[in-house]
Each structure stands twice: as structure tokens, then as C-alpha cells.
Amino acid sequence: MLQAFEYPRFDYAPSPDEGAEPPARHAVVIVGAGPIGLTAALDLARRGRRVVVIDDDDTVSVGSRAICWSKRTLEICDRLGLADGLISKGVRWSKGRVFFQDRELYDFDLLPEAGHYAPAFVNLQQYHFEMAAVEAAQAHPLIELRWRNRLVDVAPGDEQTPARVTVETPEGRHRLDVDWLLACDGAKSPTRKALGLDFEGRVFQDRFLIADVVMTADFPTERWFWFDPPFNPGRSALLHKQADDVWRIDLQLGWDADPEEEKKPERVIPRLKAMLGEDASFELEWVSVYTFQCRRLERFRSGRVLFVGDSAHQVSPFGARGGNGGVQDVDNLGWKLDLVLRGAAPKALLDSYDVERGWGADENIANSTRATDFITPKSQASRDFRDATLALAARFDFARRLVNSGRLSQPASLEASPLTTPDEAGERFDAPMRPGAACLDAPIRDTAGREDWLLRALARADGFVLLAAPALDDPDGASVDAAAAALDPPAQALVMGRDFEDSEGLVAARYDLTPGACYLIRPDQHAAARFRTLSATRLRPAQDRALARGKEA
């Protein structure tokens, strides 16, 4: 097979911790240098935390694996300094088409409105994502990457005792004491196995072929999904463009397919020629066969161990909810862990990670399960319903809403979270933004008149933010500054018209920021609360609630 990417080799280097007695102690150790572990390290280092990352390999992931990075993931990565490179290297897309047999049913657009920094999706092979994150981590003085360091055992610790980790390197075994261990070691998590924990959920009896194909083609940069196509009758197919003229093709095989046989080029190439045409010129870069799994841990925290990404939950690839869900895990956990380590929040705040991201995992699993059931109907009645829905979707919008080729990843809404303060009775906001939601982006101008983005302004505040429109009797926003400073920890005031200009009116429209209105924004850019009029007596309880402390907890 053609190798379109040159895999680096990272050197093993002995650490001073090897052979140390008593064991060296670290505040945070991350197991796994994949996209989730690396983004976790970058997030925590950005907050001033020293982090050790261990990985049993010495290179990035082999094969494209996760490729569809969502708008929300790109917004999170922008805070970590990665997004510009990922977007420029990857393939931007927002449109898709759905086919049934030999005809197109309809097309769709996932980002029909302007005024956002990040595109709806960027397709980029996981090894490119990891390479960018490795380079950023190597350049950060607070991150230590330890390659060929394999976790072989872990004791989870408790409220008084740190976790104890046994690590094997080419030089032998040694132990580490860890205040907080982040298990970002994937679906086959050695950490999870060492603790005797297992997933709950479903494994679907079907198999799918992934083929990464290098070719020059004139297909548009869109997501194309087929139900029952002529080249794969009775099954499904998916086509996506990636960077470097690599195309991802997924073909449903059926449960009886032999995974090892189906990966052989003599089996793969005829299937691809049936799809692309006998005269199509291409080379295989990577081939894999997978089975749908929609499963999760009962709890994402065990003592001092926190499970993040695929080590905590698994979903089917259709919908791009695996890697994107993992990055949202990181986004939810990083600020909470930092505040707990600083003593600014109780350990109960880490339990809210389990609650909030457990909901996110349940939402992803539910969407993934429904997509799988629609794509691979298990009874004749289910197939008849699906085919009738597809036939109607060619003409009727209502039927298109029932078609499920994979509901694509969306930001988790935390409106029902115990950390979120609901709107008070009588305080109505007429805007898409709401408590618990991830903040919506909008174009702005900074005080020097330069073009900027709202989410970048929020990110520069690096903590809680009080986003406000000044009251008519306080045009300079002095009362906003005072209210922000009175919080614990203090929030950064961000006053529309003073600290930035709403250059296209989209901040006011998306947030319904009328004079005097304000939003309390969490460090992960989810809205903790909002009020029509600024009130310090309401802001402090809202922040306490967002930090799981005091009576508000």
C-alpha cells in the first residue's frame, strides 16, 4: 500500500522518576498521547499546570481513523493554538448529499449562516491532528512527553491517597504517585482494564470496511452517503475527501464478512472499482474493518482516575461523535481540574464532569444507535419503514428529518446541568443562545478597530467572563467591572461597545444583549447564567452553583 504520510519516531528518554524511592509524585499524569490526551495536556498547560504524558508507542496513530472535526472541536482547538493549522491543512465542508439506490434524494448544509470563525467541519486524518498537537506539546515548557512508557497497573487512590501507577519502559518498571490520573488511552484502555471496569451498551452485528484511497478525483468536498447503492446492493456507503488527495470510503459488508479476508487488496480493490468505475486510478493507503459499538462506563471517575474520550465511551463512526465527543470531554474537565488543584473549588466539581459528560455520552450513544438502526435495519419491517422514508424524502421535507445517515456531532447543551442557573421567571431572552449552551461565535472589532471573533475574546479572558451590554445609566460599564471583580475567582468583564464593537450586530442578535443584560460564561465557554439586569446578589450564587460549592451545590 502507498504511504501518503511519513510516520515520525519519537525517542525514548529515561526520566528521573525511574528507580525513585519513594515514588515521584505528580499533580497530573495523562495516559495516552492521542488526540484526546494531547489536547488535555495542552488545555491544562495553558492554565499553568505541569503535565506528564505517557504513551506506550513512539509515533502517531497509524491510518486516518478519526477524520471529521466539528465546528465545536475547532473552536476548542483555537483556544489551544491548533485550529489555524488544522483548518488550513484539512478540507473544509458543510454540505452533504444523500442517495437512495441510483438517485440523489436531497442535499443539506450544516452551516447555512455566516459570521463564524470555524467551518461546520474539517476533514483531516487523525495522524495530522496528532502531529500538530505533538509539536505544540513539545514546544510547551509545562508538558513532558514520555514515549515507550506503558501503564501496567494502577491503584485508583481515594480522597486522601493519590493514585499509584506502575509504568514499564525499556529500562524496567517504576512507580508514580499521581494526584489525578487522566485515562485518555482509547477504547482498549489499559487503565480501565487494570481497574477491572467494563463498558455497558450494545455491539451491533454488522461489519464495515474503511478504505483510505489516494486519488485525484472531481467529487466535490461534500459528505456523500448512499443507501442500497448499485455498487453495494442492500447495504450502505460513505465518501469523504481528506487532506493530501486521500479519500475515505466506508462500505457496509454484513455480519458474515471475514474481517481479515476483507482487508486484503484483492478483496478491497474490486469493491472500490464497482463504486468508482473500472477505469478509476487509485492506490490504497490504509484499510480496516470495524464493528459498530455504542457503549460507556457507568461512571467516568474512579477514585483519582478520570476517564476521557474513548476510554469512557464508544460510538459508531457515522456522525463523527467519537473524537469530537472526546475533545468536548477535555473542554469540560480541564478548567474544573485546574480549579480543584488550586483549591478554588471543591472536589465535587469533578463529579460534575461525570454528570455533564455522561449526558453528552448518552446523547451521542442515542444518536449513534438510532443512526445504526436506520442504516442497518434488523427486520423486514424496519427495512420497509426505512425504504419508504427514503422514497418520501425525495419530495417531502418532513421525511428528510426522519432519514438518519448519522446525526453529525453538535455541542452538548448543559441546560439541565446542576451547575447551570435557569432563567428567572419573567426574564425572557429572544435569542438562540441559552443557559448551558456553548457560546455562539460572532464577528467583532477590538478597541484598535481590528477584526476579531467573540470566542477568541472570551478565550483571552482565560477564566470566568461577565459578558454584558452596559446599562443606559452606566455607559462606561463601571458596574460590570465591579460585579466581575466581586466574584471568587474574579471574572473578566467584557463589555460590548467598550471592550469590543459588535461589527455586524450578530452578538446582540445571537445573545439578545440589550442594555443592562449580561451572561456569566464558564471557562469552557458554556453559559452558566444570564440576567436581564446586572445584579451582584444574583451573580455570586450563580458562580457558586457553577463551581459546585456552598448551598448552591
Side-chain angles (χ1 to χ4, degrees):
M1 292 188 189
L2 177 70
Q3 186 170 309
F5 176 77
E6 185 175 345
Y7 290 90
R9 293 293 171 188
F10 305 119
D11 292 335
Y12 158 76
S15 80
D17 296 344
E18 297 185 31
E21 284 296 337
R25 184 163 179 170
H26 295 274
V28 181
V29 170
I30 297 172
V31 186
I36 309 309
L38 291 167
T39 52
L42 291 167
D43 181 275
L44 288 166
R46 177 177 172 271
R47 303 179 194 282
R49 292 284 150 211
R50 189 170 296 279
V51 181
V52 172
V53 182
I54 64 172
D55 193 278
D56 60 0
D57 206 347
D58 62 356
T59 190
V60 295
S61 64
V62 176
S64 62
R65 301 184 184 273
I67 67 165
C68 293
W69 305 101
S70 71
K71 179 177 183 291
R72 182 62 187 153
T73 290
L74 296 169
E75 291 167 349
I76 294 166
C77 287
D78 193 44
R79 302 208 301 274
L80 306 180
L82 299 177
D84 284 346
L86 300 179
I87 292 172
S88 64
K89 177 65 176 176
V91 176
R92 301 164 65 118
W93 69 275
S94 65
K95 296 181 179 180
R97 300 178 188 273
V98 177
F99 301 84
F100 182 35
Q101 297 172 346
D102 60 353
R103 67 187 188 277
E104 180 181 334
L105 297 182
Y106 61 91
D107 58 20
F108 59 86
D109 191 338
L110 296 170
L111 191 62
E113 64 177 12
H116 297 265
Y117 156 75
F121 279 91
V122 161
N123 283 357
L124 185 65
Q125 298 92 313
Q126 183 171 318
Y127 48 70
H128 283 309
F129 187 110
E130 289 184 18
M131 198 65 231
V134 166
E135 290 172 354
Q138 288 173 329
H140 203 295
L142 296 181
I143 300 175
E144 182 181 355
L145 298 176
R146 297 182 181 180
W147 303 103
R148 297 176 67 190
N149 276 240
R150 183 171 70 91
L151 181 144
V152 294
D153 197 17
V154 57
D158 53 33
E159 293 297 313
Q160 289 76 40
T161 308
R164 175 159 288 185
V165 179
T166 303
V167 180
E168 185 172 71
T169 75
E171 299 292 326
R173 294 188 175 189
H174 64 280
R175 296 176 299 168
L176 301 173
D177 285 343
V178 184
D179 292 334
W180 295 102
L181 183 72
L182 274 57
C184 305
D185 45 355
K188 297 180 180 178
S189 170
T191 309
R192 191 181 65 239
K193 291 180 180 177
L195 293 176
L197 302 174
D198 203 358
F199 282 141
E200 300 174 352
R202 293 175 63 185
V203 177
F204 292 85
Q205 293 190 345
D206 213 324
R207 302 191 198 279
F208 287 76
L209 172 76
I210 292 178
D212 279 352
V213 175
V214 181
M215 64 179 179
T216 302
D218 58 1
F219 297 113
T221 54
E222 300 174 345
R223 180 187 194 261
W224 285 15
F225 192 96
W226 288 264
F227 293 95
D228 191 16
F231 54 83
N232 196 27
R235 298 192 171 100
S236 63
L238 176 66
L239 175 70
H240 261 303
K241 185 178 182 180
Q242 307 173 67
D244 306 326
D245 287 325
V246 178
W247 295 77
R248 159 70 63 83
I249 296 173
D250 290 60
L251 295 172
Q252 185 182 355
L253 299 176
W255 183 241
D256 294 334
D258 184 322
E260 295 307 314
E261 286 296 315
E262 293 296 344
K263 286 190 287 188
K264 294 179 179 178
E266 59 266 29
R267 298 282 292 177
V268 175
I269 291 172
R271 292 185 184 277
L272 298 181
K273 284 187 174 291
M275 178 182 184
L276 302 171
E278 284 296 327
D279 297 331
S281 176
F282 59 83
E283 294 188 71
L284 296 177
E285 188 206 22
W286 180 64
V287 175
S288 183
V289 174
Y290 65 88
T291 299
F292 279 175
Q293 301 186 53
C294 294
R295 308 188 298 167
R296 58 162 289 184
L297 282 172
E298 181 181 3
R299 288 181 56 80
F300 295 172
R301 178 185 172 191
S302 177
R304 297 277 184 153
V305 181
L306 296 154
F307 292 91
V308 190
D310 284 353
S311 72
H313 44 74
Q314 283 182 282
V315 292
S316 68
F318 292 123
R321 292 175 176 270
N324 291 303
V327 174
Q328 287 193 52
D329 288 351
V330 169
D331 192 44
N332 187 281
L333 177 60
W335 68 277
K336 296 176 179 178
L337 183 55
D338 174 55
L339 289 175
V340 168
L341 285 166
R342 279 203 269 150
K347 292 187 180 70
L349 186 60
L350 294 178
D351 291 325
S352 77
Y353 164 71
D354 175 74
V355 172
E356 293 187 336
R357 291 311 300 156
W359 287 344
D362 289 342
E363 178 182 318
N364 286 335
I365 287 171
N367 278 286
S368 187
T369 298
R370 286 193 287 267
T372 303
D373 287 338
F374 194 86
I375 293 168
T376 62
K378 300 303 186 291
S379 68
Q380 189 59 47
S382 296
R383 182 174 294 276
D384 290 344
F385 169 80
R386 187 200 71 177
D387 291 351
T389 301
L390 292 170
L392 290 168
R395 293 184 296 154
F396 300 109
D397 286 341
F398 84 88
R400 294 174 187 177
R401 292 192 292 271
L402 300 175
V403 173
N404 197 333
S405 63
R407 299 277 188 257
L408 288 153
S409 178
Q410 295 289 322
S413 177
L414 305 176
E415 196 165 1
S417 168
L419 304 189
T420 301
T421 299
D423 285 339
E424 294 195 1
E427 291 203 335
R428 182 174 179 273
F429 283 76
D430 185 16
M433 192 61 197
R434 61 194 186 278
C439 286
L440 299 173
D441 205 3
I444 61 174
R445 287 195 186 94
D446 66 15
T447 53
R450 294 169 298 207
E451 294 183 353
D452 200 1
W453 295 98
L454 178 63
L455 293 188
R456 287 185 168 177
L458 293 175
R460 286 192 291 272
D462 198 25
F464 278 91
V465 178
L466 188 56
L467 174 66
L472 295 176
D473 60 353
D474 182 30
D476 294 331
S479 61
V480 181
D481 293 333
L487 295 173
D488 181 22
Q492 174 70 51
L494 190 62
V495 180
M496 187 168 68
R498 184 194 72 181
D499 301 321
F500 68 91
E501 292 294 331
D502 187 9
S503 53
E504 297 182 21
L506 292 177
V507 178
R510 290 172 180 169
Y511 290 76
D512 193 13
L513 269 184
T514 56
C518 65
Y519 282 74
L520 180 63
I521 310 297
R522 298 177 359 172
D524 59 358
Q525 296 185 350
H526 281 258
R530 64 182 178 182
F531 303 104
R532 270 288 165 218
T533 56
L534 184 68
S535 169
T537 59
R538 294 192 293 178
L539 278 171
R540 182 58 184 267
Q543 188 190 42
D544 285 344
R545 183 168 183 160
L547 293 172
R549 69 185 180 193
K551 67 177 184 179
E552 299 299 331

